[in-house]
Amino acid sequence: MANFENITIEKGMYQNGSLTDALEKLDPSENYKGTSLDGLDAFSRQLKRFDIKVSGKESDCVEKFFRTSNSAALFPEYVSRAVKQGMERADILPNLVATVTDIDGLDYRSIVSAPGEDDKTLKVVNEGATIPQTIVKTRENLVKLHKRGRMLVASYEALRFQRLDLFTVTLNQIGAYIARAQLKDAIDVLLNGDGNDNAAETIKVASTGSLEYSDILKLWSSLAPYELNTILAPTAEMQKILSMAQMQDSNAGLDFQGTGKMITPLGAALLHAPEMTDGKIIGLDKNCALEMVQAGSVVTDYDKLIDRQLERAAITCTAGFAKIFTEASKTLTC
């Protein structure tokens, strides 16, 4: 049962993926169901093994990781997890992305189905008649992947006596930077396409420079038969939408003031994206508009971190975006 206490942890475990995955193969979490360790994954059990507390007022100092060679090998995974946590807190991509594709290399060609108006209705097929076809083919151009990250520049001597919960805050912020950069990439693909001549159709507001509720309705109707379930807007346009008379419902206003939850025009999730250019609003069907392609997850320079060479240790994440159905997202320009 206590197999986790006898595992030898080394650098080589990072070469084929995350340390957690490697540890789970050696020490499956399912073996601990119904025990005091139920709910902990393999990495968390290793933290418990070496009595390393990474959060709370009783959190340990960074140097606790480096008491033994086994515990030192846990440090890069702790860094990756803290960065991922920061990405998840600042990330609104799950509200935009229909599917996430993990690849091993850097070259990826997405697929496309471009149905015409006649193809969007399922007609009655008479006996012996040909069944209408939906053609799926690969895109002409590859999806562009971008490596985003930060360089961790600090000496071990400067960090060794710092509490891990404070260091986690810094790593969370690095994750937030990466998430915002990826959101900017996603917005660019939604607006301008992924290089396959599939930029979003632009719809102009009725009165240039202003935004009326009728313009939101126009965006909603233009997406049919796709569903307008997500609206992405920069700060200025968010203020215009929230200032509309139709958004001034007293109950909705109390909900926004009490919980910070945005009012949803026409049932669509209203997302604030400061990264967007003012004067544009993106409306999309999150279920079929955008594909996220990523080459692995958060990558850290585990050699340097394990050897206490924190100076200029890179923390990166490589990802790109591709349009799925071009007409499932449109742009409203003010």
Side-chain angles (χ1 to χ4, degrees):
M1 179 61 67
N3 184 51
F4 73 98
E5 295 180 342
N6 302 310
I7 294 175
T8 300
I9 308 170
E10 56 184 359
K11 292 181 181 179
M13 290 181 169
Y14 286 93
Q15 293 179 354
N16 297 317
S18 72
L19 177 65
T20 298
D21 292 340
L23 290 173
E24 283 289 347
K25 292 179 181 179
L26 298 172
D27 181 39
S29 293
E30 62 185 21
N31 294 340
Y32 297 88
K33 290 183 178 179
T35 71
S36 59
L37 299 176
D38 191 3
L40 298 180
D41 63 11
F43 177 74
S44 299
R45 288 192 291 275
Q46 291 302 315
L47 292 180
K48 186 175 181 64
R49 170 188 176 185
F50 295 104
D51 193 30
I52 299 175
K53 300 179 180 65
V54 298
S55 61
K57 64 178 182 180
E58 300 298 329
S59 66
D60 291 305
C61 296
V62 172
E63 70 168 353
K64 187 73 172 288
F65 271 105
F66 298 95
R67 297 283 176 84
T68 70
S69 59
N70 277 293
S71 59
L74 296 173
F75 189 61
E77 183 72 359
Y78 151 74
V79 171
S80 294
R81 285 187 167 217
V83 172
K84 289 178 187 176
Q85 185 181 59
M87 290 178 66
E88 290 169 358
R89 288 178 179 175
D91 196 7
I92 64 172
L93 282 175
N95 298 296
L96 306 177
V97 173
T99 183
V100 178
T101 302
D102 292 295
I103 61 174
D104 294 327
L106 293 178
D107 292 336
Y108 177 77
R109 197 182 302 274
S110 187
I111 60 174
V112 61
S113 173
E117 290 300 324
D118 193 54
D119 300 321
K120 293 177 183 178
T121 57
L122 296 182
K123 299 179 179 179
V124 175
V125 180
N126 296 322
E127 184 177 352
T130 302
I131 298 176
Q133 297 177 336
T134 295
I135 300 175
V136 179
K137 58 183 180 180
T138 56
R139 293 282 191 186
E140 180 179 351
N141 296 318
L142 296 172
V143 175
K144 295 180 181 178
L145 302 186
H146 302 282
K147 179 182 284 189
R148 303 290 190 186
R150 286 274 172 165
M151 193 71 71
L152 183 61
V153 182
S155 66
Y156 171 69
E157 288 71 22
L159 292 178
R160 60 180 297 191
F161 296 120
Q162 294 298 322
R163 294 286 181 183
L164 285 167
D165 58 349
L166 177 60
F167 189 42
T168 299
V169 173
T170 301
L171 296 174
N172 286 169
Q173 193 59 33
I174 291 176
Y177 292 149
I178 296 174
R180 284 195 286 267
Q182 289 183 340
L183 175 60
K184 191 172 182 179
D185 291 339
I187 290 171
D188 181 65
V189 169
L190 285 171
L191 289 173
N192 305 311
D194 56 17
N196 288 284
D197 193 27
N198 54 0
E201 178 186 341
T202 299
I203 301 169
K204 294 185 178 180
V205 297
S207 178
T208 304
S210 64
L211 180 66
E212 304 294 337
Y213 192 70
S214 59
D215 297 315
I216 303 295
L217 291 174
K218 185 178 180 182
L219 178 63
W220 168 77
S221 61
S222 68
L223 271 174
Y226 299 104
E227 177 187 1
L228 175 63
N229 49 40
T230 305
I231 295 177
L232 203 59
T235 303
E237 275 55 52
M238 282 288 289
Q239 292 174 341
K240 292 177 183 178
I241 293 174
L242 293 175
S243 298
M244 291 178 178
Q246 290 80 359
M247 299 291 105
Q248 301 302 311
D249 176 81
S250 58
N251 291 329
L254 288 173
D255 188 39
F256 177 51
Q257 295 168 20
T259 67
K261 185 179 180 180
M262 294 292 183
I263 304 165
T264 56
L266 305 174
L270 183 59
L271 304 178
H272 182 208
E275 293 79 7
M276 283 183 64
T277 303
D278 286 344
K280 294 181 181 294
I281 294 174
I282 299 175
L284 68 143
D285 186 339
K286 68 175 182 179
N287 298 313
C288 51
L290 194 65
E291 175 188 16
M292 181 176 182
V293 183
Q294 58 185 19
S297 186
V298 175
V299 178
T300 61
D301 282 347
Y302 57 87
D303 278 320
K304 291 184 177 181
L305 294 179
I306 293 174
D307 295 335
R308 308 188 194 191
Q309 299 173 16
L310 274 67
E311 298 90 341
R312 307 195 67 77
I315 303 170
T316 61
C317 188
T318 303
F321 299 89
K323 284 282 195 75
I324 302 177
F325 289 94
T326 303
E327 295 180 355
S329 64
K330 297 191 178 182
T331 305
L332 185 65
T333 58
C334 303

